[in-house]
Amino acid sequence: MSGGNHAATRLDWISRRGGPLRGAITVPGDKSISHRALMLAALAEGTSRISGFLEGEDTRATAAVLAQLGVIIETPAPGERCVHGVGLHGLRGPSRPLDCGNAGTGMRLLAGLLAGQAFDATLVGDESLSRRPMRRVTEPLVWMGARIDTSEGLPPLLIRGGRRLRGIRYESPVASAQVKSALLLAGLYAEGETEILEPHPTRDYTERMLSAFGWPIRFGPGQASLTGGHVLQATDVQVPADFSSAAFFLVAASLVPGSELRLRGVGLNPRRTGLLLALKLMGADIEVLDERSSGGETVADLCVRHAPLHGIELPPALVPDMIDEFPALFIAAAAAQGTTVIRGAAELRVKESDRIASMAAGLRGLGVQVAETPDGAVITGGPLGAGTVQGHGDHRVAMSFAVAGLVATGSGVHIEDCRNVGTSFPGFMELANGCGFALAGA
């Protein structure tokens, strides 16, 4: 059971050297916040308006799932959603499987949300999502009293309704905001207190947003707890620009001589900005301007100018705060002078693709020296040659190699299988080419 059209068409790109990157751009809204805003607005009492919403395939898949569950979601304009909340117990059972597409965040969070419902529901996904591990979420949900059938820990997820959930104290073995968020969403329906303790602090979007929707919650770095039995009240959400999407431009402008690029209104949640600190350690020239608060999140403009980068030993403390940005960091490391050592990032092996293997293989194909390790890589920087690389249907891998093409010699970088870029960054090619990339379909 899968959303059959997801893998139907292959899309290839060629990325070549362009001009310096110049101008001011706004990247799409934060994907993580867009998913969560939809879900909490759906469970709230009243009507919530979401602006800055990411018009990506992943977030639209979540909106479509909620619509199947009886939530009315209007689109007054691109990037806006008007969600008519049905309350905590107002969702209705679906008549067919709920297709999450390529959205791992969507599926894992919906598993928590659906665990406490009165009806059965089945979550399915595309070919890539169907290979991603779900046991890390389903096991603690089962300990809370949920019943979830999986295919040996993989999707589809059949979630049985009518279960009484109870709060648990869960010491998570993995630092995962998705696991934490799924348990907090289930905790809304549980008797007693749900407490999650993490080995490393992860992004706290769900906690901040629950608070904004009026649910009592206690949280700090590495821990969060709430009790069931309260009410979510509708609120308006302004979604900041997605730091993960900004990451490609931060690296690109750092690498291309003569570049000066301003990225407007980027979300700077401290649990998200490890790449910013890593690039600065490598010598990047990135200025944070006009810092402000929006909906409980820190937002600022980022001005990045070309600067020669050098290799670093990445501090392990930064790893959990940049897990989605590693493909972009691999490109920065490949173009830097010296060696970059990455450890403690085994989580990358279970993303949309095995991102360590995908990036290492692609970089080797461009002549870069990369030694893979179980939880990272050792990358020796140097000139990038022309070549063909695999995107593996992974949006972040494809966009990272589009950045590599800016500094590659000869005929540039041919990137195969870029079809999933629209999951997180619709309009990437147009925005990139508008500020100096030379990116074309192949």
Side-chain angles (χ1 to χ4, degrees):
M1 290 184 293
S2 173
N5 65 338
H6 294 291
T9 54
R10 203 181 90 171
L11 173 68
D12 290 5
W13 288 345
I14 293 178
S15 178
R16 299 184 176 91
R17 289 188 178 226
L21 274 59
R22 295 296 181 103
I25 62 171
T26 304
V27 301
D30 188 288
K31 186 165 70 153
S32 300
I33 294 178
S34 295
H35 279 301
R36 288 159 170 81
L38 282 175
M39 292 183 200
L40 294 188
L43 299 178
E45 305 281 347
T47 299
S48 300
R49 286 168 182 78
I50 305 169
S51 53
F53 179 81
L54 171 66
E55 294 290 358
E57 290 166 24
D58 280 12
T59 47
R60 286 176 171 172
T62 292
V65 165
L66 292 169
Q68 273 183 261
L69 297 170
V71 181
I72 295 171
I73 302 174
E74 297 168 329
T75 307
E80 293 184 21
R81 291 294 185 276
C82 189
V83 183
H84 299 275
V86 296
L88 214 56
H89 301 284
L91 298 176
R92 63 165 190 251
S95 57
R96 62 186 189 280
L98 302 168
D99 189 354
C100 298
N102 189 243
T105 301
M107 180 174 281
R108 291 191 178 114
L109 269 59
L110 285 165
L113 188 156
L114 291 168
Q117 304 299 330
F119 50 80
D120 293 357
T122 301
L123 294 171
V124 301
D126 70 3
E127 183 187 352
S128 164
L129 182 54
S130 299
R131 295 193 300 267
R132 294 180 67 183
M134 293 294 151
R135 201 167 270 142
R136 57 177 56 184
V137 167
T138 58
E139 276 187 355
L141 287 173
V142 167
W143 295 340
M144 292 178 75
R147 184 175 165 199
I148 304 175
D149 299 330
T150 68
S151 177
E152 296 184 353
L154 302 175
L157 308 184
L158 172 53
I159 302 165
R160 304 287 186 182
R163 311 286 294 183
R164 279 181 63 180
L165 302 186
R166 60 190 174 275
I168 60 171
R169 185 177 191 269
Y170 183 62
E171 294 189 25
S172 180
V174 293
S176 167
Q178 293 177 0
V179 172
K180 175 177 62 175
S181 298
L183 299 186
L184 290 173
L185 289 171
L188 304 181
Y189 294 90
E191 294 173 14
E193 184 178 45
T194 300
E195 182 180 14
I196 301 102
L197 302 171
E198 303 177 288
H200 307 287
T202 62
R203 57 190 71 166
D204 55 5
Y205 293 142
T206 303
E207 297 94 307
R208 288 170 185 256
M209 198 169 290
L210 280 165
S211 185
F213 276 86
W215 196 282
I217 179 167
R218 292 187 297 113
F219 63 96
Q223 70 84 28
S225 63
L226 54 70
T227 56
H230 305 285
V231 174
L232 293 166
Q233 296 290 355
T235 190
D236 293 347
V237 179
Q238 171 67 49
V239 180
D242 195 324
F243 183 85
S244 292
S245 295
F248 305 105
F249 293 92
L250 293 176
V251 172
S254 294
L255 298 182
V256 178
S259 296
E260 181 171 339
L261 193 62
R262 186 168 180 138
L263 300 161
R264 292 185 291 238
V266 179
L268 294 184
N269 184 294
R271 298 274 71 85
R272 189 71 180 272
T273 50
L275 180 74
L276 192 61
L277 300 174
L279 288 175
K280 286 186 172 183
L281 288 174
M282 297 175 80
D285 179 358
I286 304 171
E287 198 177 352
V288 178
L289 303 167
D290 190 20
E291 193 169 313
R292 54 212 186 264
S293 182
S294 173
E297 293 291 338
T298 300
V299 173
D301 291 3
L302 299 176
C303 184
V304 53
R305 301 173 185 86
H306 166 67
L309 302 184
H310 56 80
I312 60 167
E313 187 152 332
L314 185 70
L318 295 184
V319 170
D321 297 343
M322 57 182 293
I323 210 72
D324 284 336
E325 289 73 51
F326 270 100
L329 177 73
F330 271 60
I331 303 302
Q337 192 156 19
T339 300
T340 296
V341 180
I342 297 164
R343 294 192 188 92
E347 173 82 0
L348 294 175
R349 294 205 180 271
V350 293
K351 301 301 267 184
E352 282 83 337
S353 68
D354 176 339
R355 285 185 176 155
I356 294 173
S358 299
M359 293 303 300
L363 286 172
R364 283 192 209 104
L366 303 180
V368 179
Q369 194 178 322
V370 184
E372 235 183 282
T373 64
D375 65 345
V378 179
I379 303 166
T380 303
L384 276 68
T388 298
V389 301
Q390 264 291 329
H392 296 281
D394 186 323
H395 50 125
R396 300 201 196 281
V397 170
M399 288 185 280
S400 295
F401 282 114
V403 174
L406 290 170
V407 291
T409 57
S411 57
V413 178
H414 181 164
I415 311 155
E416 296 184 341
D417 195 3
C418 306
R419 68 182 185 274
N420 280 330
V421 168
T423 61
S424 71
F425 203 143
F428 173 77
M429 182 183 285
E430 294 77 7
L431 192 66
N433 286 342
C435 69
F437 278 64
L439 190 59

